[in-house]
Amino acid sequence: MINTMKVIGYFVAVLTLFSCTDEIEATKPPVSSTISVSGTLPVLYIDTENHKPIVSKEVYLNASYRLDPMGTDGVEPLGSEREPLPMQIRGRGHSSWKSPKKPYKIKLEKKTAIMGMPKSKHWALLKPTENTVAGLQLGKLMDMRWTPSFRPVEVVLNDDYIGLYFLTETIRIDENRVNIYEQQDKETNPDLIRGGWLVEVDNYHDECQITIPENNRWNLTLRYHSPEDLSNAQLQWLTDEFKAINTAIYSSDKTSTAWEEYIDVESMARFFILQEVMDNPDGFHGSFYLHKDLTDNAKWIAGPIWDLACYNREKTDYTFRMKVHYAITPHWIGEIIQYDSFCKAVESVWKEVYPERLSEIYDYIEKTVLPLDKAWKNDCERWNEDPSQTAGLRADRIKTALRRNMEWFDCHLPVSAFSSLQIPSESFSQAPAIVYNLKGICIGKYKNMEEAVSNLKNGIYIINRRKIKIE
């Protein structure tokens, strides 16, 4: 009897550990407040049926909504107080769902264009951060295949002001979003299974996932967003596909091009640069999306970007190598950065976007963040957060971090230790020399190549992004 109870207890613990609902932390609605809208932004009014509280991330509640532009130029009203429009709403997120101010997923009854964003039924209400402002705009400046747009709004839920939110396009296959073929649930035709996928390298246990070993330290957990309901043939194809990708990436031959048969190298280079400029530790850890179309020679494209953080620190290495306050699993990037094709793609993209195009981010941040000052103050008061975090402070903080990160990255573009050796030209020999060992660690800075040679032992080094042999 005792052994039986132990076994039952064990399985209950396991089921609890792998539960993906997180409902326990969010069964109570937020406490209402007397704080009201700032009057400086459009206001989204939402009323759930019978004013039921939103306590689930799984179950939608019927609701209605209206958008009041509050005099904002170019914003059209939607619905009215007398005739609101139908919608559904539920919670969303993982750790963010556990905090007092919660993010939401909304589904409109019909596709609607909102505040200049293309028509869709599906949207998210996210907590506002300057990181989101910068990161999503950087995605557009980096020419990612598609990057979500957002608009700042204040939200009144069931007659209660719940603060400033970013109304954001969600990631899904759609002609106005990730515009690729979308294969059907339970597909069995092998010609259709090979494309039309939207997946996410995830760091949470959830539904709709496969898990394969990535290396001897961690697994690769992949959540499939589209399709959601897989046939055995689809499940087997996806598992085999990512086992093959993983094997190719982890090849001991870093001159191999096998991984390029599966992944679009340039898209991965753009994705990597954006994570470095943001200094986002989650870049290759979670919310790491990939998608693949159904066309001849289609490859997996890195992105869209989502859930961007900025650690706001002095960079001393690539972000995936730097420590943070939680454990991160840098999927793939530690291997990919060793391939010469990837390093060359990074250098090419960087020359394309830096400094001219990326410098546009600073004016954009000011134009987007500074007008949120009053709404952010009300939001801080509503949720009892630090009132000193003004819009001006937030804008200056993210601009300082981005400028510092870009300057660091410009001096530390990755170079593969497996690239071919190069003979220095005369102009190269007279330029200031920054020297790295084959592990990518900076070991010295010199006035020119001659000074570097006189101070270095015989061996192979990376000097000014070229691999040089000194004898």
Side-chain angles (χ1 to χ4, degrees):
M1 181 66 179
I2 294 175
N3 289 339
T4 301
M5 292 303 293
K6 284 184 178 180
V7 170
I8 292 174
Y10 170 78
F11 280 108
V12 169
V14 169
L15 289 173
T16 302
L17 177 65
F18 288 96
S19 172
C20 62
T21 60
D22 288 337
E23 301 298 327
I24 296 174
E25 293 84 358
T27 54
K28 294 182 180 179
V31 177
S32 60
S33 169
T34 59
I35 309 301
S36 61
V37 300
S38 70
T40 61
L41 292 174
V43 179
L44 182 63
Y45 292 90
I46 300 174
D47 289 287
T48 61
E49 190 173 55
N50 300 320
H51 279 198
K52 291 180 181 178
I54 304 165
V55 296
S56 173
K57 296 191 304 176
E58 312 299 324
V59 180
Y60 277 105
L61 295 181
N62 291 327
S64 62
Y65 77 98
R66 63 185 174 94
L67 179 70
D68 184 346
M70 297 296 287
T72 305
D73 290 341
V75 176
E76 297 292 329
L78 294 171
S80 66
E81 191 169 3
R82 286 189 176 183
E83 297 183 0
L85 302 173
M87 65 172 288
Q88 293 181 308
I89 186 169
R90 62 172 172 82
R92 68 167 309 280
H94 289 289
S95 59
S96 57
W97 178 243
K98 300 174 185 179
S99 61
K101 181 182 179 181
K102 302 187 183 302
Y104 299 101
K105 173 78 171 63
I106 61 179
K107 182 165 66 173
L108 311 183
E109 183 180 62
K110 65 178 184 178
K111 288 187 174 184
T112 304
I114 304 180
M115 299 174 70
M117 294 183 287
K119 286 184 178 182
S120 181
K121 290 183 180 181
H122 302 273
W123 306 86
L125 286 169
L126 304 181
K127 299 178 186 182
T129 73
E130 63 273 22
N131 301 333
T132 299
V133 172
L136 294 185
Q137 184 62 12
L138 283 170
K140 296 175 187 295
L141 294 174
M142 290 285 304
D143 283 341
M144 303 288 286
R145 295 291 178 94
W146 176 77
T147 297
S149 295
F150 74 94
R151 298 290 186 271
V153 295
E154 290 183 276
V155 179
V156 176
L157 175 62
N158 292 334
D159 300 323
D160 177 29
Y161 174 74
I162 58 171
L164 173 64
Y165 280 83
F166 287 166
L167 178 66
T168 310
E169 293 181 296
T170 55
I171 295 176
R172 59 189 299 108
I173 296 178
D174 182 271
E175 63 180 352
N176 291 324
R177 297 189 180 174
V178 180
N179 188 13
I180 62 174
Y181 169 81
E182 182 173 17
Q183 66 172 290
Q184 302 302 304
D185 289 342
K186 294 290 187 178
E187 182 64 71
T188 57
N189 184 339
D191 291 332
L192 298 179
I193 288 175
R194 60 186 175 84
W197 290 91
L198 174 63
V199 302
E200 175 190 3
V201 177
D202 206 354
N203 54 1
Y204 287 93
H205 291 286
D206 212 332
E207 297 177 345
C208 305
Q209 289 180 337
I210 63 168
T211 299
I212 63 172
E214 181 175 334
N215 54 38
N216 58 9
R217 291 176 291 167
W218 58 68
N219 291 330
L220 178 72
T221 297
L222 200 74
R223 182 177 182 183
Y224 42 92
H225 288 270
S226 186
E228 294 182 354
D229 191 7
L230 303 192
S231 65
N232 288 337
Q234 286 171 313
L235 183 62
Q236 190 63 55
W237 184 90
L238 189 64
T239 302
D240 292 345
E241 175 81 350
F242 275 84
K243 282 183 176 179
I245 292 172
N246 198 62
T247 298
I249 288 174
Y250 275 83
S251 171
S252 58
D253 177 10
K254 287 298 182 283
T255 64
S256 168
T257 60
W259 74 285
E260 300 172 47
E261 296 175 11
Y262 297 95
I263 293 178
D264 182 272
V265 178
E266 183 184 310
S267 73
M268 191 64 76
R270 293 181 189 276
F271 187 88
F272 170 72
I273 290 171
L274 193 145
Q275 308 308 324
E276 289 298 317
V277 169
M278 284 296 295
D279 190 21
N280 176 30
D282 284 342
F284 292 88
H285 170 60
S287 297
F288 172 19
Y289 284 85
L290 299 147
H291 60 278
K292 183 182 181 184
D293 204 352
L294 182 62
T295 58
D296 290 340
N297 303 314
K299 298 181 182 181
W300 289 93
I301 305 296
I305 53 172
W306 189 258
D307 198 16
L308 295 156
C310 177
Y311 239 65
N312 193 23
R313 58 186 172 178
E314 292 288 343
K315 277 177 69 67
T316 57
D317 204 339
Y318 298 119
T319 295
F320 73 92
R321 292 176 182 165
M322 293 181 67
K323 292 182 179 180
V324 293
H325 72 280
Y326 58 95
I328 65 169
T329 307
H331 297 287
W332 290 350
I333 184 59
E335 297 295 311
I336 288 176
I337 202 172
Q338 298 180 54
Y339 287 95
D340 189 45
S341 57
F342 176 74
C343 295
K344 282 185 167 60
V346 169
E347 182 177 9
S348 176
V349 172
W350 185 248
K351 288 179 178 178
E352 171 194 326
V353 300
Y354 182 83
E356 286 79 10
R357 193 183 302 174
L358 292 188
S359 65
E360 296 175 22
I361 192 65
Y362 305 117
D363 284 343
Y364 176 83
I365 289 170
E366 290 201 355
K367 290 177 181 178
T368 305
V369 173
L370 296 185
L372 306 181
D373 190 57
K374 176 59 177 172
W376 233 318
K377 286 179 180 177
N378 284 19
D379 186 273
C380 288
E381 187 175 357
R382 171 64 178 87
W383 297 106
N384 195 30
E385 295 184 353
D386 184 1
S388 70
Q389 299 296 304
T390 64
L393 184 148
R394 295 170 188 268
D396 288 343
R397 180 169 57 209
I398 189 65
K399 287 191 300 178
T400 298
L402 294 181
R403 186 173 288 108
R404 181 177 59 231
N405 295 344
M406 288 183 204
E407 289 174 354
W408 183 91
F409 191 75
D410 187 49
C411 296
H412 297 85
L413 297 186
V415 178
S416 172
F418 299 92
S419 62
S420 57
L421 292 171
Q422 298 185 43
I423 300 173
S425 64
E426 184 176 347
S427 60
F428 179 88
S429 299
Q430 297 306 312
I434 303 176
V435 183
Y436 296 83
N437 63 20
L438 293 184
K439 294 182 179 180
I441 299 172
C442 182
I443 59 174
K445 298 180 180 180
Y446 303 94
K447 292 181 180 180
N448 50 44
M449 187 68 172
E450 182 180 354
E451 183 178 302
V453 170
S454 65
N455 284 275
L456 295 172
K457 297 178 180 179
N458 291 347
I460 299 174
Y461 300 89
I462 298 168
I463 304 177
N464 294 353
R465 304 173 194 162
R466 303 185 186 183
K467 191 165 72 169
I468 307 296
K469 186 176 183 179
I470 297 178
E471 299 178 307

